[in-house]
Amino acid sequence: QKTTHSESSQVKKSQHAEEAIFYMNCRAAYLAVFKSSLENIKSKEQLSLVFQQAGRSPSQKTVNKYWTSQTTSLNFDDFCTILKQEKTATKTELLEAFGKLDTDNTGYILHDELYQVLTMRGERMSRDEVSSILKQGDFNCSGKLDYSKFCDFYMATSEQCCKIAREKLEVDSRLRQQQFGSQTETSSSEGITLPVSKPSPRISRKTDHKVAPTKGDSRTPSRPSSAQTCKAAVSTTITMGASSHRNTKLIEPDTMKEWQWAQSKGCFYLEEDGEIISHKYKLHLAQRSAVCITIKPLNIRQVEGKSCPWLSVDTGLYILRENETQEHLQLVSFTEQQTKEMFGWKGELGSGVYWLLPFTTGCRLKKVKQQITGEAKLVYRGEDGDLALTKEFRTALLDIFETIDLDGNGLLSLEEYNFFELRTSGEKCDEEAWAVCKENFDMKKNELTRQGFMDLNLMEANDREGDPSDLWVTLLSLGYNKALEMTEACPFVIDVYAEKCKPRIKAMYLEAGSWQLSRAVCKSVVNKGEAKVMDGCENIIVHTYKAGRRITSVIENKSENKVIIHVNNEQSKNCLSNRGLTVFAVEVAPKSMMVSQHVMPLNEQEECLYNCVHSLV
């Protein structure tokens, strides 16, 4: 047992060391371009530049994936998340790519052939760009490229970029003190300006800075070296028994059968960089009324042998009132009451327009490496030679139809179909194109039927002569893996009950969490949670709030300077953090607050101990 414990401790140390090195490299690359990690990336050119400083060589396609037409800026935390996704190519991978061109396995590629490939296929290079590569004498001779030597040159150049950035970071002692950096949550990265206010009377002071080690535990602290200079700390401990994961305030819509009702479906989608996007809704109430609003994962058909991971994803709604301008939405409340997998809120709302912003912590909906044994077949040719959709693909398409049919009437309106198109292709279908669809596919009342949707996908397969590549693009963008399992999406359903009037709910956007949602999350925790001041540092307050199965902590920085907060969860047990890390650090801008982390039980059938230490570095 001692040996096993020692090995486990060594593995943890190694993991923490790797994490620390990764974030040091991220910070080094970022600060090679910007003066501070609080500065934002404001253009594609800057994104390419920090990529290169991190030893990457991004294609335009890669840059466009993270800098879309809706992107206005990316922060340091976004950059860290992107680098986790965009690994540096290994020499083996590069050799395999060149090997596909070198069909005779000679180790060389003719310059003429390379010109043709690089200037006419994929992301095309100019002839001048190709010429600059072929002029390098180290790996070119007699009109041929020695691609093994080129790969060595590429790898050395990549490492040199990282080395120069690290050396620059080490020279500046002021930056070296911040070497661990921050990994702030995307949805909470925008600082929220705070009014000058007196400490809340709910604030308690914590003098016990350190968490006592478990008896017999002789582990060496594996926190990053920057944490050794902590000036102040505050610890928070919350225990959730296996039966306490459910809030006692139950929501029972059955008791409101006489109330008027409206419903809309939607979906959380996981992006390549780990960001979560979802539908956003407007709610209209004609008069003041008692209201009940609920959200839960959508229980679409379950295929035998297929898992339904989205059913365990936590969901929530933030209710904001629209004022004269959309930029000034007022937080009304959020769904903190819980019955099984459903979260809800019950209260009274005045007449007017409200925004419903869906929310999930990201604890359960996150990127997971999976071993897929084989790729599912999507189409096949029948005895007559015609293409047909496989049974498995048809089942997946029916589930997709159920998810994107937001109003649940069994038909797709142009508006509903365009949410699907925006997600899968980034483009909208206009009225003219919709009219063409009407001529070729089954429709009712100008809305696409299930059969019409099936035929539309079959047409796409026929256009590609059976090549399923485009079909897979659609499926992957909707959260499916190559085994046709939905692992990176969570469909949900919102129900609104009103006693005095007919509520109207409408999906308006499909986008990432806005600053309005970030602000709402922080405000809800500050308003409802327990606040603890860091001993000896009254300007730093950690707010912690438990709602049902979820614990959220928010760091409030009232000082005039940015601060780096080290977060340590090593003493927690059976806890799942949206950060994916046991130890990390966050950087909080002056006069702002931000989410530190969301935590949920790893196994809800067992007791969960949340023991977190926030330290000022």
Side-chain angles (χ1 to χ4, degrees), residues 16-296:
H16 293 317
E18 289 177 7
E19 290 168 2
I21 291 170
F22 171 77
Y23 287 110
M24 182 186 70
N25 287 336
C26 287
R27 178 171 286 276
Y30 206 83
L31 294 178
V33 179
F34 300 103
K35 293 181 179 180
S36 165
S37 58
L38 287 178
E39 287 187 45
N40 286 345
I41 300 169
K42 295 180 179 178
S43 67
K44 285 186 179 181
E45 292 72 26
Q46 287 184 340
L47 178 57
S48 295
L49 193 56
V50 288
F51 256 130
Q52 292 162 4
Q53 291 295 335
R56 310 301 198 267
S57 182
S59 65
Q60 195 58 46
K61 182 179 179 181
T62 300
V63 174
N64 289 340
K65 181 168 71 172
Y66 299 108
W67 194 280
T68 67
S69 57
Q70 284 79 39
T71 308
T72 56
S73 67
L74 295 170
N75 59 27
F76 174 69
D77 317 301
D78 300 325
F79 176 63
C80 292
T81 305
I82 290 170
L83 279 197
K84 279 192 174 182
Q85 302 295 323
E86 301 297 330
K87 307 289 185 184
T88 51
T90 64
K91 183 178 179 180
T92 301
E93 291 170 337
L94 292 172
L95 289 174
E96 286 178 357
F98 279 113
K100 292 178 181 178
L101 301 176
D102 180 19
T103 54
D104 296 329
N105 200 28
T106 63
Y108 296 91
I109 298 174
L110 293 173
H111 285 179
D112 290 343
E113 184 179 358
L114 200 60
Y115 263 118
Q116 186 174 7
V117 170
L118 296 181
T119 59
M120 299 184 67
R121 295 189 197 171
E123 188 172 319
R124 301 175 185 178
M125 298 174 66
S126 68
R127 293 190 70 86
D128 289 342
E129 288 173 328
V130 180
S131 295
S132 66
I133 296 174
L134 302 184
K135 286 177 181 177
Q136 298 285 337
D138 294 340
F139 42 81
N140 290 285
C141 61
S142 304
K144 295 184 294 185
L145 172 80
D146 184 332
Y147 59 82
S148 179
K149 288 184 178 179
F150 173 79
C151 290
D152 289 335
F153 174 80
Y154 175 88
M155 299 302 294
T157 303
S158 176
E159 176 54 35
Q160 184 66 14
C161 286
C162 295
K163 184 179 178 182
I164 290 172
R166 287 195 300 268
E167 288 175 350
K168 183 178 178 182
L169 180 65
E170 289 167 4
V171 167
D172 191 331
S173 60
R174 176 178 58 83
L175 297 178
R176 187 167 63 246
Q177 290 174 357
Q178 303 173 12
Q179 64 182 3
F180 191 57
S182 66
Q183 187 214 6
T184 53
E185 182 187 19
T186 303
S187 65
S188 304
S189 59
E190 298 238 7
I192 299 169
T193 304
L194 298 173
V196 178
S197 59
K198 296 180 180 179
S200 165
R202 295 184 292 110
I203 293 174
S204 61
R205 301 184 182 277
K206 191 74 177 179
T207 55
D208 183 13
H209 299 176
K210 298 180 181 179
V211 179
T214 307
K215 186 176 181 181
D217 190 348
S218 58
R219 292 179 296 172
T220 303
S222 54
R223 64 191 66 167
S225 58
S226 63
Q228 309 302 330
T229 59
C230 293
K231 301 175 182 177
V234 61
S235 65
T236 303
T237 303
I238 298 174
T239 302
M240 290 192 291
S243 60
S244 68
H245 295 165
R246 298 290 184 264
N247 199 302
T248 56
K249 299 177 182 178
L250 300 180
I251 304 162
E252 299 178 10
D254 288 344
T255 63
M256 297 171 283
K257 290 181 179 178
E258 303 302 318
W259 291 20
Q260 298 187 68
W261 167 74
Q263 183 185 80
S264 184
K265 288 180 279 188
C267 196
F268 294 111
Y269 295 109
L270 192 59
E271 296 280 60
E272 279 299 315
D273 60 1
E275 188 174 33
I276 296 172
I277 73 170
S278 75
H279 295 83
K280 306 287 190 291
Y281 303 83
K282 266 190 177 183
L283 171 65
H284 296 260
L285 293 175
Q287 66 184 87
R288 176 175 290 276
S289 175
V291 173
C292 179
I293 303 173
T294 67
I295 182 172
K296 65 179 180 180

Side-chain angles (χ1 to χ4, degrees), residues 368-439:
V368 178
K369 290 183 180 179
Q370 293 179 309
Q371 295 293 330
I372 306 298
T373 53
E375 184 178 299
K377 195 172 182 180
L378 303 184
V379 295
Y380 69 97
R381 291 195 180 274
E383 294 179 358
D384 56 2
D386 291 339
L387 279 175
L389 307 179
T390 64
K391 180 181 177 182
E392 293 78 13
F393 185 34
R394 287 181 64 86
T395 300
L397 286 175
L398 286 172
D399 289 346
I400 291 169
F401 186 95
E402 181 76 13
T403 300
I404 63 178
D405 175 21
L406 301 183
D407 61 10
N409 71 344
L411 301 167
L412 293 183
S413 66
L414 174 57
E415 200 168 33
E416 290 171 328
Y417 182 75
N418 271 334
F419 280 123
F420 167 78
E421 278 293 307
L422 284 170
R423 178 62 192 160
T424 56
S425 69
E427 299 176 355
K428 277 188 173 185
C429 175
D430 58 25
E431 293 284 353
E432 186 177 343
W434 192 244
V436 174
C437 284
K438 191 173 182 178
E439 293 174 3

Side-chain angles (χ1 to χ4, degrees), residues 13 116 140 143 186 219 232 257 330 348 364 536 605 611:
K13 285 183 190 177
Q116 186 174 7
N140 290 285
T186 303
R219 292 179 296 172
K257 290 181 179 178
Q330 179 185 357
E348 189 170 279
R364 301 253 166 83
Q605 305 307 313
N611 194 327

Side-chain angles (χ1 to χ4, degrees), residues 381 386-388 455 457-466:
R381 291 195 180 274
D386 291 339
L387 279 175
D455 293 341
N457 283 274
L458 180 58
M459 182 200 71
E460 190 171 342
N462 275 303
D463 286 347
R464 283 287 197 164
E465 297 182 347

Side-chain angles (χ1 to χ4, degrees), residues 517-555:
L517 180 58
S518 303
R519 182 174 182 270
V521 173
C522 288
K523 284 193 70 174
S524 65
V525 173
V526 170
N527 292 342
K528 294 262 190 175
E530 179 188 12
K532 291 185 177 180
V533 173
M534 282 193 178
D535 186 58
C537 191
E538 294 188 355
N539 286 325
I540 309 300
I541 305 167
V542 177
H543 303 265
T544 307
Y545 180 61
K546 173 182 168 292
R549 300 172 292 178
R550 183 179 77 232
I551 297 172
T552 299
S553 61
V554 167
I555 302 169

